[in-house]
Amino acid sequence: MRRFKRLLTLGLLAALTARASPWVDLPGDLPEDPAIKFGILPNGLRYAIRPNAEPKDRISLRLLVSAGSLVERDDERGLAHFVEHMAFRGTKAYPQDTLVTTLERSGIGLGPDNTAFTSYDYTVYHLELPDTTPGMLRLGLEVFREYASNVTFDPDAIAKERGVVLSEKATRDTPQQRLFDANLWSLWPDSRQYHRAPIGLESSIRQFTREQFVAFYDAWYRPERIAVIIVGNVQPAEAEALLTEILGPLAARAPPRPEPPDLIPTHATVPDVAMFVDDSLGGVRFNFTHPQPHPLAPNTHAERVTYLHRALSFAMFAKRLEWTARRRGGTYVAPGVSTETFMPGWEVVSFSASGRSDNWRSLAADLEQEHRRAFLLGFTEDELKLAKASVARNYEQAVRSASTVRSESIAAQIEGNLLYGGVLSTPEAAQLDLAADLAAATTAQCNRAFKAAWTNKPLHVLVTTNSLFTATRNAICDALNQSRDVKVRQTRPPEDVKFHYTSFGRPGKLAQEEYLADLDVHLGRFDNGVRLNFKPTPFEADAVRVTVRVGTGKATQPADQPGLDLLARHGFIRSGLDRHTEDELDALLTHHVLNVQFDVEPDAFVFTAQCARRDLLLTMQMIGAYLTDPAYRSSSMTETRAMLETFYSSYDSVPGGVILQRAERVLAPSKPSVGIPAMKETYARTLKELSKWLGPQFKKGAIELSIVGDVSWPEATAAVGSTLGALRKRDSFPESAKAAVIRFAVPSMFPVFYPLEPRASQTSIAWYWPVADPMDIHLHRRCSMLAAVLSELIYARLRGELGASYTPTAEFVQYDGWPTFSYFTLRADVATTMGPKASAALHREIDNLLANGISEDVFQRARLPYLRTREEVLRTNDYWGATVLADAQLRPERIAGARDRAADFPAITRAELEAMARRYFAPAHGFLFIAEPGQTAAWGAKYMWDAK
């Protein structure tokens, strides 16, 4: 077998020993965040308490267990993760699934508020508390005590949860996960990490006994391996006292097990070309990787400076790959450069890009030569200038936004600090620490850091593709070796230019203004017809959210051009501006905190932007430029098609993806713009068609926008007045934009069946229930709460009782521009052998709902978490910017809805929801979709409504 030329065995350090302690205490010379109170109880349990203001009146709790899949024995693969599942199934204080229901009655919903995660190194349990009362904090810590010491491992519960874990394993069997596993195998095929995936082995999961659960739990869930993190509106002394009272008595229940001796691999494979073939993948991707031993070391200033130089060099290399991809007209797309430490004791640096299978030789050669160019010739002063500006901007923005960082993010940072060591400092200290070194960094320093990261040894090459790819490993090696003989020359980066689109004519003036004092909202209209809705908020420091709605969106999409909206969504921004190349825009934005996105909604084209306060004017100028001078560059289509391919393949990576992709077109076949067209239809669309569709709308279509965030009304009006307010007079929004009528198809008595590939192990079941009634905000709220009730019911039935599905869900879907096209959907992925039984259980659940209504207990368990989440969104810029103010003048009911929500949400009654269920969930009104591996003669009958 040929190899990539000069493949050498890596020079390795002596065998690295596993850490003796479950926690890593690394010294560092940065000042620690003084707001965090760290401590250790007498029993060895560690804790960290950190007061924080956002979200207001909320507390984030974490129970961190320093034990994951790496400590499993050969017959325990998957047990750490299964133990995590069993903590929710029953404890001494909360037997037989009562823990989840108890928390729901307190407003803590299963999912984002009450969840857990198992990794190689650790297991973590999350609780998001809905208030800051001592009783609520006590409840959260008492639940953590149950997780830590009182899980009962009831045999019947184990039997039920076994199916849930297997369902999760099937759900997580995605191309991305298989690719990660393949990369791990290509570097460390004999490592414990490769053979200890947290999800485990199916054969082991099916055979675990209660005795194995208890033995693992008692050995690893012990006080000295546990840490508790409390972040939010808390008084540290009070929280510390309560934590000591509740968790201080924890004691070990069995002798500890020794740490496995092989947590850190002593060597990696010899560099070579490896291939990963998966038919869920499109095209071909080359990933060049270099693993290096990287033992833990103190976090010193000298080390941080070394990493700064390397980070600058990697940023320059990443930008160079992006520039080169565009200049060479589509040889490759989606380049990436990364540094990862997913393997303890190792550091992995890599770069990669994708391309067409028939052009793989050019893809391989271009990537090899760009890396060698950087390695041999280094980077330029102009490139370093841009990289420095980007790093400085990130430091500055971290300082500006520090006061409103959310508690969940801080808790995650503390988790990493406890597990992997280092000092958790403040953004101000981090910025000050490296400010002088950043300013003084030279190209020589960065070039040395780049070489040190890669060394002069050959790289591991992982080629990922599908079975249509015919090249052999030998051919790939030959192509790479031939490329190495091509001489490389230094490249020139794009010039740093000034933004050309700063004048749009005479600044517009406000012709009308209204202030709503109760909401602290301004509504204005400029003399050219542009409408501006504004609200200042303190939720995110130095952050502004902009939403600009233009024209009529999908309402005017040509019926014979399906997929044009997807081309617009994925390709319009990418095609750039006429007076700036993409490279120039990229260089320009390096100096700013600004991101503009484009989307197509049923009734408008929508620009959304997130920016720093100081960049609001530039943001409005950028949107104004896209409206007045878009480029529609054909050179952007290669990358756009790659993004579209990723978009479509994302549906193929989940069991129910085929249903998600096609269901809406089945529901409304007479409306081509509804749903997702076939990929070949979208690929047939052209930039010429896009320009013809968008051009007239952008030239004179109605405009309404919202600006929400840490900014003032005078700043907002000045920025809009000099940009969108200066454009030519705009049309008014037509009434048709508010009331496009869509009619549903007539449901069939038979399921809509989609065969999956034979290797699939799950069947996906989905019910869609049309709601053709014209939708208003009050009906929408009730439908959404009914969906929460339905989720509660099917979760209890499919996961709690049958153990058949990992994440059965129900939701309500509604489109503002299509008020007669809304629907409920109920989805579950189950083992194929369980398909008919699970479907029949869902039928019976709906039948029971229609016949007997909703119990008070189920109603409250769904209602309280639902109300809590609706209260929390009030303190987000997304809610005010997108839900309320984006089109508040076109739809004044938005303002009315913001005013009455506090009274209307709690007023929703069980009787209302029961009446709605009877109206919408009648069997004859629903569409049943089944996606199943293969197809049998009896597939239709076994999923009929009366199947038992």
Side-chain angles (χ1 to χ4, degrees), residues 607-784:
F607 294 91
T608 56
Q610 304 280 349
C611 67
R613 182 174 187 166
R614 60 196 177 280
D615 288 325
L616 177 59
L617 175 59
L618 177 60
T619 300
M620 299 312 306
Q621 290 172 341
M622 189 75 70
I623 294 173
Y626 279 117
L627 287 174
T628 58
D629 202 23
Y632 300 105
R633 286 190 178 88
S634 59
S635 59
S636 69
M637 285 298 289
T638 299
E639 188 174 3
T640 297
R641 288 184 184 277
M643 296 302 104
L644 285 168
E645 184 174 293
T646 299
F647 168 78
Y648 278 98
S649 66
S650 68
Y651 288 96
D652 298 332
S653 66
V654 295
V658 64
I659 298 175
L660 290 171
Q661 183 180 340
R662 302 181 187 182
E664 286 190 344
R665 297 195 104 189
V666 174
L667 266 60
S670 63
K671 188 71 171 177
S673 58
V674 172
I676 301 171
M679 186 165 66
K680 65 179 182 180
E681 294 178 299
T682 302
Y683 273 27
R685 304 282 66 82
T686 67
L687 288 175
K688 183 177 180 180
E689 292 172 334
L690 186 61
S691 173
K692 186 176 180 180
W693 182 35
L694 298 183
Q697 298 285 329
F698 286 180
K699 186 175 182 180
K700 60 180 182 178
I703 295 178
E704 184 167 356
L705 73 147
S706 67
I707 297 178
V708 171
D710 186 11
V711 67
S712 69
W713 173 241
E715 289 173 290
T717 54
V720 176
S722 64
T723 55
L724 305 190
L727 301 178
R728 60 171 291 171
K729 188 172 180 60
R730 314 304 294 186
D731 292 342
S732 299
F733 278 103
E735 284 301 310
S736 60
K738 297 174 60 176
V741 176
I742 297 178
R743 291 181 171 82
F744 285 96
V746 177
S748 169
M749 62 180 294
F750 294 100
V752 179
F753 181 83
Y754 298 115
L756 301 177
E757 58 180 17
R759 72 179 298 274
S761 60
Q762 286 195 302
T763 290
S764 187
I765 304 168
W767 277 98
Y768 283 70
W769 309 88
V771 177
D773 295 334
M775 191 60 51
D776 62 26
I777 187 62
H778 300 97
L779 179 57
H780 178 270
R781 290 168 180 166
R782 283 147 181 81
C783 287
S784 296

Side-chain angles (χ1 to χ4, degrees), residues 273-459:
V273 172
M275 296 185 69
F276 172 67
V277 178
D278 191 311
D279 283 338
S280 298
L281 303 173
V284 61
R285 188 169 185 87
F286 276 74
N287 187 53
F288 295 78
T289 301
H290 178 50
Q292 300 185 81
H294 182 70
L296 293 172
N299 180 16
T300 64
H301 178 77
E303 182 186 37
R304 292 191 295 276
V305 172
T306 298
Y307 275 95
L308 171 65
H309 294 157
R310 192 180 69 176
L312 289 168
S313 73
F314 274 40
M316 289 186 281
F317 183 47
K319 285 298 181 188
R320 187 178 284 187
L321 289 177
E322 293 175 10
W323 296 331
T324 305
R326 290 194 284 260
R327 289 173 179 174
R328 293 188 177 173
T331 303
Y332 60 83
V333 296
V337 181
S338 68
T339 301
E340 297 176 293
T341 55
F342 58 83
M343 177 64 70
W346 289 80
E347 187 173 64
V348 180
V349 293
S350 64
F351 66 96
S352 60
S354 299
R356 300 195 317 270
S357 296
D358 61 356
N359 198 34
W360 69 267
R361 291 181 182 275
S362 296
L363 166 63
D366 283 350
L367 288 175
E368 184 280 323
Q369 290 167 32
E370 282 306 319
H371 180 259
R372 186 156 43 89
R373 190 192 322 276
F375 189 93
L376 296 176
L377 304 179
F379 301 98
T380 68
E381 291 292 339
D382 288 338
E383 288 175 295
L384 181 58
K385 179 182 177 182
L386 290 175
K388 283 184 176 183
S390 178
V391 173
R393 178 201 66 195
N394 291 340
Y395 274 121
E396 180 181 356
Q397 192 60 24
V399 171
R400 289 174 178 267
S401 61
S403 63
T404 54
V405 173
R406 291 177 64 88
S407 296
E408 311 93 282
S409 297
I410 296 174
Q413 293 172 23
I414 296 174
E415 284 179 25
N417 173 262
L418 290 169
L419 287 164
Y420 306 116
V423 174
L424 192 57
S425 191
T426 63
E428 293 86 354
Q431 181 188 42
L432 181 62
D433 175 60
L434 290 175
D437 300 285
L438 176 61
T442 67
T443 54
Q445 290 171 325
C446 295
N447 292 340
R448 284 196 297 271
F450 189 80
K451 287 187 176 182
W454 298 98
T455 76
N456 61 353
K457 301 185 180 190
L459 306 177

Side-chain angles (χ1 to χ4, degrees), residues 79-89 115-118 123-125 168 221:
L79 191 54
H81 172 250
F82 207 152
V83 165
E84 168 226 305
H85 273 243
M86 292 308 300
F88 293 85
R89 273 291 186 176
T115 188
F117 176 77
T118 301
T123 304
V124 61
Y125 298 85
E168 180 181 358
Y221 278 59

